[in-house]
Amino acid sequence: MAQFLKNPFHIYWVSYLFVFLIYNLGWANLYPDLTLDTITFFTVSCLISFLLGTIVNKLRLIGAPRNYKQESIKNVKYFLFLSVSFFVIEFIIYGGVPLIELFKANPRFVYLEFGIFIYHALCISFSMFSILFIFNAYMKSDKSKNIILVYYILSYVPAILIINRNMIISSMLASFFLFIHYKSKEIFKPKRLVAILVVCLGVMYLFGVFGNLRSFKGNDEVIVNMAGGTEEFKNSIIPNEYFWVYLYISSPTANFQHSVNVVDNVSYDFPLMFLYEFTPRKISEFIVHLFDVKNKPDKVLMVPWLNMAGVYGNTYLFAKWIGVIMMFCYSMFFILFFILLVPKKSKYHLLAISVVTTIIFLNTFANFFYVMTVSFELIFIYAFAIFENKKFVIRN
């Protein structure tokens, strides 16, 4: 099992297998039945990803952490300092800190307007890279673990100050996948697995509690009724709080199937599809405004409040199954490209693998190729991998 979670190709099929198991619980009458073409595509794509993952493991293209030296505390401090400094510049220019402005209920504060276009995205990307770099230093360290752990926790401060949930979730997931590379044998001991299961069930329950508090003042029946919860679920011993988790995990697949069911006419505009689905958002937005590109198709959703359709949802709206297959091929190429791009001998190799694994996992729920901050995190990793053994000398 550990080999599966270390390999982005295997994460692809493991993620979709988990999603389909959850989907088939059938707790929501709102969801459409999965059609033969949908089942066939995901079955074939999962088999291909399993085969590619097996080949990658056989060829040992993914390195092991024992090959890397420990990181100095000085480097950890530098990365944390730079990460915070870049955001301080934005705070000065913006005239405030988003979290503080939110607590002050500043009427002039508009969260979506915060940030200096490309600079803001690059700040987030570098900060996410710094978080993973510091966590990697923590995993490699013997004598300074406690100090580096403090720096790791502090590295999340910029994300909290700018109220960026995606930044926090992506970084925590990447850290988890990196942790597996170092401690896979310990994780999969029976007692650890039981502990992890208990913690996950507790976190999922709290997720549902906060969802009910935020949206329905604590009423745990509203969300079940809104999604057409089945009588079987309502009469079961399962707490309604877990229905939130069920919806978040399975609704992207349900929306995708809904699109397959109702969409007849598409444009087959492949350049537009590449611009909106394969290109990082800030870059595509710049091109759209510069050349006055037409808008992408509107999302096709079961209900407006369930608005995710996975990495394949929008590509289907552009070119039906051709678009979906093209996105799958791109996903497989993306994984292999970054596995090979950052060499095993580099101390940044496992960071790249962990970020790619995170992207592939999150693509189950939304298109993270389109999220510039995560994609550009890989560019920072590659840039540092190029120059890690270079020495720069200033001569008079």
Short mmCIF file of all heavy atoms in Angstrom, two decimals, residues 242-298:
data_model
loop_
_atom_site.label_atom_id
_atom_site.label_comp_id
_atom_site.label_asym_id
_atom_site.label_seq_id
_atom_site.Cartn_x
_atom_site.Cartn_y
_atom_site.Cartn_z
N TYR A 242 -21.79 13.27 8.79
CA TYR A 242 -20.96 12.62 7.78
C TYR A 242 -21.51 12.82 6.36
O TYR A 242 -20.83 12.53 5.39
CB TYR A 242 -20.83 11.13 8.08
CG TYR A 242 -19.91 10.84 9.23
CD1 TYR A 242 -20.42 10.42 10.46
CD2 TYR A 242 -18.54 11.01 9.13
CE1 TYR A 242 -19.58 10.17 11.54
CE2 TYR A 242 -17.69 10.77 10.20
CZ TYR A 242 -18.22 10.35 11.40
OH TYR A 242 -17.38 10.11 12.46
N PHE A 243 -22.74 13.32 6.28
CA PHE A 243 -23.33 13.58 4.96
C PHE A 243 -22.56 14.68 4.23
O PHE A 243 -22.47 14.67 3.00
CB PHE A 243 -24.81 13.96 5.11
CG PHE A 243 -25.60 13.80 3.85
CD1 PHE A 243 -26.06 12.55 3.45
CD2 PHE A 243 -25.89 14.89 3.04
CE1 PHE A 243 -26.79 12.39 2.29
CE2 PHE A 243 -26.62 14.75 1.88
CZ PHE A 243 -27.07 13.49 1.50
N TRP A 244 -22.02 15.65 4.99
CA TRP A 244 -21.20 16.71 4.37
C TRP A 244 -19.99 16.11 3.66
O TRP A 244 -19.66 16.50 2.54
CB TRP A 244 -20.73 17.69 5.45
CG TRP A 244 -21.73 18.70 5.87
CD1 TRP A 244 -22.58 18.62 6.94
CD2 TRP A 244 -22.01 19.96 5.24
NE1 TRP A 244 -23.37 19.74 7.01
CE2 TRP A 244 -23.03 20.58 5.98
CE3 TRP A 244 -21.49 20.62 4.14
CZ2 TRP A 244 -23.54 21.84 5.66
CZ3 TRP A 244 -21.98 21.86 3.79
CH2 TRP A 244 -23.00 22.46 4.55
N VAL A 245 -19.32 15.19 4.31
CA VAL A 245 -18.14 14.56 3.72
C VAL A 245 -18.53 13.77 2.48
O VAL A 245 -17.84 13.82 1.46
CB VAL A 245 -17.47 13.63 4.76
CG1 VAL A 245 -16.23 12.97 4.17
CG2 VAL A 245 -17.09 14.41 6.01
N TYR A 246 -19.65 13.06 2.58
CA TYR A 246 -20.16 12.31 1.43
C TYR A 246 -20.37 13.22 0.22
O TYR A 246 -19.97 12.89 -0.91
CB TYR A 246 -21.46 11.62 1.82
CG TYR A 246 -22.22 11.01 0.67
CD1 TYR A 246 -21.81 9.82 0.08
CD2 TYR A 246 -23.37 11.63 0.17
CE1 TYR A 246 -22.51 9.26 -0.98
CE2 TYR A 246 -24.07 11.09 -0.89
CZ TYR A 246 -23.64 9.90 -1.46
OH TYR A 246 -24.34 9.35 -2.52
N LEU A 247 -20.97 14.39 0.46
CA LEU A 247 -21.24 15.32 -0.63
C LEU A 247 -19.95 15.87 -1.23
O LEU A 247 -19.80 15.95 -2.45
CB LEU A 247 -22.11 16.47 -0.14
CG LEU A 247 -23.58 16.17 0.15
CD1 LEU A 247 -24.27 17.42 0.67
CD2 LEU A 247 -24.29 15.67 -1.10
N TYR A 248 -19.01 16.28 -0.38
CA TYR A 248 -17.76 16.87 -0.87
C TYR A 248 -16.96 15.87 -1.70
O TYR A 248 -16.32 16.23 -2.69
CB TYR A 248 -16.92 17.39 0.30
CG TYR A 248 -17.16 18.84 0.60
CD1 TYR A 248 -18.32 19.25 1.25
CD2 TYR A 248 -16.25 19.81 0.22
CE1 TYR A 248 -18.56 20.59 1.53
CE2 TYR A 248 -16.48 21.16 0.48
CZ TYR A 248 -17.63 21.54 1.13
OH TYR A 248 -17.87 22.87 1.38
N ILE A 249 -16.98 14.61 -1.30
CA ILE A 249 -16.19 13.60 -2.00
C ILE A 249 -16.86 13.17 -3.30
O ILE A 249 -16.19 13.02 -4.33
CB ILE A 249 -15.97 12.36 -1.09
CG1 ILE A 249 -15.06 12.74 0.09
CG2 ILE A 249 -15.35 11.20 -1.88
CD1 ILE A 249 -14.92 11.65 1.12
N SER A 250 -18.15 13.00 -3.28
CA SER A 250 -18.84 12.38 -4.42
C SER A 250 -19.52 13.35 -5.38
O SER A 250 -19.76 13.00 -6.54
CB SER A 250 -19.89 11.39 -3.90
OG SER A 250 -20.82 12.05 -3.04
N SER A 251 -19.81 14.58 -4.94
CA SER A 251 -20.56 15.50 -5.81
C SER A 251 -19.83 15.89 -7.09
O SER A 251 -20.48 16.10 -8.13
CB SER A 251 -20.97 16.76 -5.03
OG SER A 251 -19.84 17.48 -4.59
N PRO A 252 -18.48 16.01 -7.12
CA PRO A 252 -17.83 16.30 -8.41
C PRO A 252 -18.10 15.23 -9.46
O PRO A 252 -18.35 15.56 -10.63
CB PRO A 252 -16.33 16.34 -8.04
CG PRO A 252 -16.31 16.75 -6.61
CD PRO A 252 -17.50 16.07 -6.01
N THR A 253 -18.09 13.97 -9.06
CA THR A 253 -18.40 12.89 -10.00
C THR A 253 -19.87 12.94 -10.41
O THR A 253 -20.21 12.70 -11.57
CB THR A 253 -18.08 11.53 -9.36
OG1 THR A 253 -16.69 11.49 -9.01
CG2 THR A 253 -18.38 10.38 -10.31
N ALA A 254 -20.74 13.28 -9.47
CA ALA A 254 -22.17 13.40 -9.78
C ALA A 254 -22.41 14.53 -10.78
O ALA A 254 -23.20 14.38 -11.73
CB ALA A 254 -22.96 13.65 -8.50
N ASN A 255 -21.73 15.66 -10.60
CA ASN A 255 -21.87 16.77 -11.55
C ASN A 255 -21.33 16.40 -12.93
O ASN A 255 -21.89 16.78 -13.96
CB ASN A 255 -21.14 18.01 -11.03
CG ASN A 255 -22.02 18.86 -10.13
OD1 ASN A 255 -23.23 18.96 -10.35
ND2 ASN A 255 -21.42 19.47 -9.12
N PHE A 256 -20.22 15.66 -12.94
CA PHE A 256 -19.68 15.21 -14.22
C PHE A 256 -20.68 14.30 -14.93
O PHE A 256 -20.94 14.47 -16.13
CB PHE A 256 -18.36 14.46 -13.99
CG PHE A 256 -17.81 13.83 -15.24
CD1 PHE A 256 -17.23 14.60 -16.23
CD2 PHE A 256 -17.89 12.45 -15.45
CE1 PHE A 256 -16.74 14.02 -17.40
CE2 PHE A 256 -17.40 11.87 -16.60
CZ PHE A 256 -16.82 12.65 -17.57
N GLN A 257 -21.25 13.36 -14.20
CA GLN A 257 -22.25 12.47 -14.80
C GLN A 257 -23.47 13.25 -15.26
O GLN A 257 -24.04 12.95 -16.32
CB GLN A 257 -22.67 11.39 -13.80
CG GLN A 257 -23.68 10.39 -14.34
CD GLN A 257 -23.15 9.61 -15.52
OE1 GLN A 257 -22.21 8.84 -15.39
NE2 GLN A 257 -23.76 9.81 -16.69
N HIS A 258 -23.86 14.26 -14.51
CA HIS A 258 -24.98 15.11 -14.91
C HIS A 258 -24.69 15.80 -16.24
O HIS A 258 -25.57 15.87 -17.11
CB HIS A 258 -25.25 16.15 -13.81
CG HIS A 258 -26.35 17.10 -14.13
ND1 HIS A 258 -27.68 16.71 -14.21
CD2 HIS A 258 -26.34 18.44 -14.40
CE1 HIS A 258 -28.44 17.75 -14.51
NE2 HIS A 258 -27.65 18.81 -14.63
N SER A 259 -23.46 16.28 -16.41
CA SER A 259 -23.07 16.90 -17.68
C SER A 259 -23.16 15.90 -18.83
O SER A 259 -23.64 16.22 -19.92
CB SER A 259 -21.65 17.46 -17.58
OG SER A 259 -21.57 18.49 -16.63
N VAL A 260 -22.68 14.70 -18.58
CA VAL A 260 -22.74 13.65 -19.60
C VAL A 260 -24.19 13.38 -20.00
O VAL A 260 -24.50 13.16 -21.18
CB VAL A 260 -22.07 12.35 -19.08
CG1 VAL A 260 -22.29 11.19 -20.06
CG2 VAL A 260 -20.58 12.57 -18.87
N ASN A 261 -25.09 13.45 -19.03
CA ASN A 261 -26.49 13.14 -19.30
C ASN A 261 -27.22 14.23 -20.08
O ASN A 261 -28.08 13.93 -20.92
CB ASN A 261 -27.24 12.92 -17.97
CG ASN A 261 -26.81 11.64 -17.27
OD1 ASN A 261 -26.15 10.79 -17.86
ND2 ASN A 261 -27.19 11.49 -16.02
N VAL A 262 -26.88 15.51 -19.82
CA VAL A 262 -27.71 16.60 -20.35
C VAL A 262 -27.07 17.40 -21.47
O VAL A 262 -27.77 18.09 -22.22
CB VAL A 262 -28.13 17.57 -19.21
CG1 VAL A 262 -28.86 16.82 -18.11
CG2 VAL A 262 -26.93 18.33 -18.65
N VAL A 263 -25.74 17.34 -21.62
CA VAL A 263 -25.07 18.16 -22.64
C VAL A 263 -25.11 17.45 -23.99
O VAL A 263 -24.64 16.32 -24.13
CB VAL A 263 -23.61 18.47 -22.23
CG1 VAL A 263 -22.88 19.17 -23.37
CG2 VAL A 263 -23.58 19.31 -20.97
N ASP A 264 -25.67 18.12 -25.00
CA ASP A 264 -25.76 17.55 -26.35
C ASP A 264 -24.80 18.23 -27.31
O ASP A 264 -24.00 17.59 -27.99
CB ASP A 264 -27.20 17.67 -26.88
CG ASP A 264 -28.15 16.74 -26.15
OD1 ASP A 264 -27.72 15.62 -25.78
OD2 ASP A 264 -29.30 17.15 -25.92
N ASN A 265 -24.88 19.55 -27.38
CA ASN A 265 -24.09 20.30 -28.36
C ASN A 265 -22.89 20.97 -27.69
O ASN A 265 -23.05 21.69 -26.69
CB ASN A 265 -24.96 21.36 -29.04
CG ASN A 265 -26.12 20.74 -29.79
OD1 ASN A 265 -25.96 19.74 -30.49
ND2 ASN A 265 -27.30 21.34 -29.66
N VAL A 266 -21.72 20.75 -28.24
CA VAL A 266 -20.50 21.39 -27.75
C VAL A 266 -19.76 22.01 -28.92
O VAL A 266 -20.01 21.68 -30.08
CB VAL A 266 -19.57 20.38 -27.01
CG1 VAL A 266 -20.24 19.84 -25.76
CG2 VAL A 266 -19.14 19.27 -27.93
N SER A 267 -18.82 22.92 -28.61
CA SER A 267 -18.16 23.70 -29.67
C SER A 267 -16.97 22.99 -30.29
O SER A 267 -16.58 23.30 -31.42
CB SER A 267 -17.68 25.03 -29.09
OG SER A 267 -16.69 24.81 -28.09
N TYR A 268 -16.36 22.05 -29.56
CA TYR A 268 -15.09 21.42 -29.98
C TYR A 268 -14.04 22.48 -30.29
O TYR A 268 -13.25 22.34 -31.22
CB TYR A 268 -15.30 20.50 -31.19
CG TYR A 268 -16.12 19.28 -30.87
CD1 TYR A 268 -17.48 19.22 -31.22
CD2 TYR A 268 -15.56 18.20 -30.20
CE1 TYR A 268 -18.25 18.10 -30.92
CE2 TYR A 268 -16.33 17.08 -29.88
CZ TYR A 268 -17.67 17.04 -30.24
OH TYR A 268 -18.43 15.93 -29.93
N ASP A 269 -14.07 23.55 -29.49
CA ASP A 269 -13.10 24.63 -29.63
C ASP A 269 -11.87 24.27 -28.78
O ASP A 269 -11.75 24.65 -27.61
CB ASP A 269 -13.72 25.95 -29.15
CG ASP A 269 -12.87 27.16 -29.52
OD1 ASP A 269 -11.64 26.99 -29.67
OD2 ASP A 269 -13.44 28.26 -29.66
N PHE A 270 -10.92 23.55 -29.38
CA PHE A 270 -9.78 23.04 -28.63
C PHE A 270 -8.83 24.14 -28.15
O PHE A 270 -8.34 24.06 -27.02
CB PHE A 270 -9.04 21.99 -29.46
CG PHE A 270 -9.86 20.76 -29.72
CD1 PHE A 270 -10.36 20.49 -30.99
CD2 PHE A 270 -10.17 19.88 -28.68
CE1 PHE A 270 -11.14 19.37 -31.22
CE2 PHE A 270 -10.93 18.76 -28.91
CZ PHE A 270 -11.43 18.50 -30.18
N PRO A 271 -8.54 25.17 -28.95
CA PRO A 271 -7.70 26.26 -28.41
C PRO A 271 -8.31 26.90 -27.16
O PRO A 271 -7.60 27.20 -26.20
CB PRO A 271 -7.62 27.25 -29.57
CG PRO A 271 -7.82 26.41 -30.80
CD PRO A 271 -8.82 25.37 -30.39
N LEU A 272 -9.63 27.11 -27.19
CA LEU A 272 -10.30 27.69 -26.04
C LEU A 272 -10.24 26.74 -24.84
O LEU A 272 -10.05 27.17 -23.69
CB LEU A 272 -11.76 28.01 -26.39
CG LEU A 272 -12.46 29.06 -25.50
CD1 LEU A 272 -11.80 30.41 -25.67
CD2 LEU A 272 -13.94 29.13 -25.82
N MET A 273 -10.39 25.46 -25.10
CA MET A 273 -10.31 24.47 -24.03
C MET A 273 -8.92 24.46 -23.39
O MET A 273 -8.78 24.43 -22.16
CB MET A 273 -10.63 23.07 -24.57
CG MET A 273 -10.62 21.98 -23.50
SD MET A 273 -11.03 20.34 -24.13
CE MET A 273 -9.51 19.95 -25.02
N PHE A 274 -7.87 24.52 -24.21
CA PHE A 274 -6.51 24.55 -23.67
C PHE A 274 -6.27 25.82 -22.85
O PHE A 274 -5.58 25.79 -21.84
CB PHE A 274 -5.49 24.44 -24.81
CG PHE A 274 -5.20 23.03 -25.22
CD1 PHE A 274 -5.84 22.47 -26.32
CD2 PHE A 274 -4.31 22.25 -24.49
CE1 PHE A 274 -5.59 21.16 -26.69
CE2 PHE A 274 -4.05 20.94 -24.85
CZ PHE A 274 -4.69 20.40 -25.96
N LEU A 275 -6.85 26.92 -23.31
CA LEU A 275 -6.66 28.19 -22.60
C LEU A 275 -7.31 28.14 -21.22
O LEU A 275 -6.71 28.56 -20.22
CB LEU A 275 -7.25 29.33 -23.42
CG LEU A 275 -7.19 30.72 -22.78
CD1 LEU A 275 -5.74 31.15 -22.56
CD2 LEU A 275 -7.93 31.74 -23.65
N TYR A 276 -8.54 27.63 -21.14
CA TYR A 276 -9.30 27.68 -19.90
C TYR A 276 -9.06 26.49 -18.97
O TYR A 276 -9.26 26.59 -17.77
CB TYR A 276 -10.80 27.78 -20.20
CG TYR A 276 -11.27 29.17 -20.55
CD1 TYR A 276 -11.74 29.47 -21.82
CD2 TYR A 276 -11.25 30.19 -19.60
CE1 TYR A 276 -12.18 30.75 -22.14
CE2 TYR A 276 -11.68 31.46 -19.91
CZ TYR A 276 -12.16 31.74 -21.18
OH TYR A 276 -12.58 33.01 -21.49
N GLU A 277 -8.65 25.35 -19.51
CA GLU A 277 -8.55 24.14 -18.69
C GLU A 277 -7.11 23.65 -18.46
O GLU A 277 -6.84 23.01 -17.46
CB GLU A 277 -9.37 23.00 -19.31
CG GLU A 277 -10.85 23.31 -19.43
CD GLU A 277 -11.48 23.65 -18.09
OE1 GLU A 277 -11.19 22.96 -17.10
OE2 GLU A 277 -12.25 24.64 -18.02
N PHE A 278 -6.20 23.93 -19.38
CA PHE A 278 -4.84 23.43 -19.27
C PHE A 278 -3.83 24.51 -18.87
O PHE A 278 -2.70 24.21 -18.52
CB PHE A 278 -4.39 22.81 -20.60
CG PHE A 278 -5.17 21.58 -20.99
CD1 PHE A 278 -6.41 21.68 -21.59
CD2 PHE A 278 -4.66 20.31 -20.77
CE1 PHE A 278 -7.13 20.56 -21.96
CE2 PHE A 278 -5.36 19.18 -21.13
CZ PHE A 278 -6.60 19.30 -21.73
N THR A 279 -4.25 25.77 -18.93
CA THR A 279 -3.36 26.90 -18.65
C THR A 279 -3.64 27.45 -17.26
O THR A 279 -4.81 27.64 -16.91
CB THR A 279 -3.58 28.03 -19.70
OG1 THR A 279 -3.49 27.48 -21.00
CG2 THR A 279 -2.56 29.13 -19.52
N PRO A 280 -2.60 27.70 -16.44
CA PRO A 280 -2.82 28.29 -15.12
C PRO A 280 -3.66 29.56 -15.19
O PRO A 280 -3.55 30.34 -16.13
CB PRO A 280 -1.39 28.59 -14.64
CG PRO A 280 -0.56 27.56 -15.31
CD PRO A 280 -1.18 27.38 -16.68
N ARG A 281 -4.50 29.74 -14.19
CA ARG A 281 -5.56 30.75 -14.24
C ARG A 281 -5.08 32.17 -14.51
O ARG A 281 -5.64 32.86 -15.37
CB ARG A 281 -6.36 30.73 -12.92
CG ARG A 281 -7.53 31.71 -12.91
CD ARG A 281 -8.35 31.55 -11.65
NE ARG A 281 -7.55 31.83 -10.47
CZ ARG A 281 -8.00 31.62 -9.22
NH1 ARG A 281 -9.20 31.12 -9.04
NH2 ARG A 281 -7.23 31.92 -8.19
N LYS A 282 -4.07 32.63 -13.79
CA LYS A 282 -3.63 34.02 -13.96
C LYS A 282 -3.13 34.28 -15.38
O LYS A 282 -3.36 35.36 -15.94
CB LYS A 282 -2.52 34.35 -12.95
CG LYS A 282 -2.99 34.40 -11.50
CD LYS A 282 -3.98 35.53 -11.27
CE LYS A 282 -4.40 35.60 -9.82
NZ LYS A 282 -5.41 36.66 -9.58
N ILE A 283 -2.47 33.29 -15.95
CA ILE A 283 -1.98 33.43 -17.32
C ILE A 283 -3.15 33.45 -18.30
O ILE A 283 -3.20 34.27 -19.21
CB ILE A 283 -1.00 32.29 -17.67
CG1 ILE A 283 0.24 32.37 -16.77
CG2 ILE A 283 -0.60 32.35 -19.14
CD1 ILE A 283 1.19 31.23 -16.94
N SER A 284 -4.10 32.54 -18.10
CA SER A 284 -5.26 32.50 -19.00
C SER A 284 -6.10 33.77 -18.87
O SER A 284 -6.61 34.29 -19.87
CB SER A 284 -6.12 31.26 -18.71
OG SER A 284 -6.76 31.35 -17.46
N GLU A 285 -6.24 34.29 -17.64
CA GLU A 285 -6.99 35.54 -17.45
C GLU A 285 -6.31 36.70 -18.17
O GLU A 285 -6.98 37.55 -18.77
CB GLU A 285 -7.11 35.86 -15.96
CG GLU A 285 -8.10 34.96 -15.22
CD GLU A 285 -8.14 35.27 -13.73
OE1 GLU A 285 -7.30 36.09 -13.27
OE2 GLU A 285 -8.99 34.70 -13.04
N PHE A 286 -4.98 36.73 -18.12
CA PHE A 286 -4.24 37.78 -18.82
C PHE A 286 -4.47 37.71 -20.32
O PHE A 286 -4.72 38.72 -20.98
CB PHE A 286 -2.75 37.64 -18.50
CG PHE A 286 -1.87 38.61 -19.23
CD1 PHE A 286 -1.82 39.94 -18.84
CD2 PHE A 286 -1.11 38.20 -20.32
CE1 PHE A 286 -1.01 40.85 -19.53
CE2 PHE A 286 -0.31 39.10 -21.00
CZ PHE A 286 -0.26 40.43 -20.61
N ILE A 287 -4.42 36.49 -20.88
CA ILE A 287 -4.62 36.30 -22.32
C ILE A 287 -6.05 36.65 -22.71
O ILE A 287 -6.29 37.30 -23.74
CB ILE A 287 -4.29 34.84 -22.73
CG1 ILE A 287 -2.80 34.57 -22.50
CG2 ILE A 287 -4.67 34.58 -24.19
CD1 ILE A 287 -2.41 33.13 -22.70
N VAL A 288 -7.00 36.25 -21.87
CA VAL A 288 -8.42 36.53 -22.14
C VAL A 288 -8.66 38.03 -22.23
O VAL A 288 -9.34 38.52 -23.15
CB VAL A 288 -9.32 35.90 -21.06
CG1 VAL A 288 -10.73 36.45 -21.13
CG2 VAL A 288 -9.33 34.38 -21.21
N HIS A 289 -8.10 38.80 -21.28
CA HIS A 289 -8.31 40.25 -21.28
C HIS A 289 -7.51 40.94 -22.39
O HIS A 289 -7.97 41.92 -22.97
CB HIS A 289 -7.92 40.82 -19.92
CG HIS A 289 -8.89 40.50 -18.83
ND1 HIS A 289 -8.66 39.54 -17.88
CD2 HIS A 289 -10.13 40.99 -18.57
CE1 HIS A 289 -9.69 39.46 -17.07
NE2 HIS A 289 -10.60 40.34 -17.45
N LEU A 290 -6.33 40.41 -22.68
CA LEU A 290 -5.48 41.04 -23.69
C LEU A 290 -6.07 40.90 -25.08
O LEU A 290 -6.06 41.86 -25.88
CB LEU A 290 -4.08 40.41 -23.64
CG LEU A 290 -3.02 41.02 -24.57
CD1 LEU A 290 -2.74 42.47 -24.18
CD2 LEU A 290 -1.73 40.20 -24.52
N PHE A 291 -6.60 39.73 -25.38
CA PHE A 291 -7.10 39.46 -26.74
C PHE A 291 -8.63 39.38 -26.81
O PHE A 291 -9.18 38.99 -27.84
CB PHE A 291 -6.50 38.16 -27.27
CG PHE A 291 -5.01 38.20 -27.41
CD1 PHE A 291 -4.19 37.59 -26.47
CD2 PHE A 291 -4.42 38.85 -28.49
CE1 PHE A 291 -2.80 37.62 -26.60
CE2 PHE A 291 -3.04 38.90 -28.62
CZ PHE A 291 -2.22 38.28 -27.67
N ASP A 292 -9.29 39.75 -25.72
CA ASP A 292 -10.76 39.74 -25.69
C ASP A 292 -11.32 38.38 -26.14
O ASP A 292 -12.18 38.30 -27.02
CB ASP A 292 -11.30 40.87 -26.58
CG ASP A 292 -12.78 41.13 -26.29
OD1 ASP A 292 -13.24 40.81 -25.18
OD2 ASP A 292 -13.47 41.63 -27.20
N VAL A 293 -10.82 37.33 -25.51
CA VAL A 293 -11.25 35.96 -25.85
C VAL A 293 -12.66 35.73 -25.32
O VAL A 293 -13.03 36.23 -24.25
CB VAL A 293 -10.28 34.94 -25.23
CG1 VAL A 293 -10.71 33.51 -25.54
CG2 VAL A 293 -8.86 35.18 -25.73
N LYS A 294 -13.44 34.95 -26.04
CA LYS A 294 -14.81 34.70 -25.62
C LYS A 294 -14.84 33.85 -24.35
O LYS A 294 -13.89 33.14 -24.03
CB LYS A 294 -15.60 34.02 -26.74
CG LYS A 294 -15.13 32.62 -27.10
CD LYS A 294 -15.98 32.05 -28.22
CE LYS A 294 -15.54 30.64 -28.62
NZ LYS A 294 -16.35 30.09 -29.72
N ASN A 295 -15.94 33.93 -23.64
CA ASN A 295 -16.08 33.23 -22.37
C ASN A 295 -16.17 31.72 -22.57
O ASN A 295 -16.60 31.24 -23.62
CB ASN A 295 -17.32 33.71 -21.62
CG ASN A 295 -17.20 35.16 -21.18
OD1 ASN A 295 -16.09 35.63 -20.91
ND2 ASN A 295 -18.32 35.85 -21.10
N LYS A 296 -15.79 30.99 -21.54
CA LYS A 296 -15.93 29.54 -21.59
C LYS A 296 -17.38 29.15 -21.33
O LYS A 296 -18.17 29.96 -20.82
CB LYS A 296 -15.01 28.88 -20.56
CG LYS A 296 -15.29 29.26 -19.12
CD LYS A 296 -14.29 28.60 -18.19
CE LYS A 296 -14.50 29.02 -16.74
NZ LYS A 296 -13.52 28.38 -15.85
N PRO A 297 -17.77 27.93 -21.66
CA PRO A 297 -19.16 27.49 -21.42
C PRO A 297 -19.52 27.56 -19.94
O PRO A 297 -18.67 27.34 -19.07
CB PRO A 297 -19.16 26.04 -21.91
CG PRO A 297 -17.97 25.92 -22.80
CD PRO A 297 -16.96 26.87 -22.28
N ASP A 298 -20.77 27.88 -19.66
CA ASP A 298 -21.23 27.90 -18.27
C ASP A 298 -21.22 26.48 -17.70
O ASP A 298 -21.46 25.49 -18.41
CB ASP A 298 -22.66 28.46 -18.21
CG ASP A 298 -22.71 29.92 -18.58
OD1 ASP A 298 -21.70 30.63 -18.35
OD2 ASP A 298 -23.75 30.36 -19.13
#
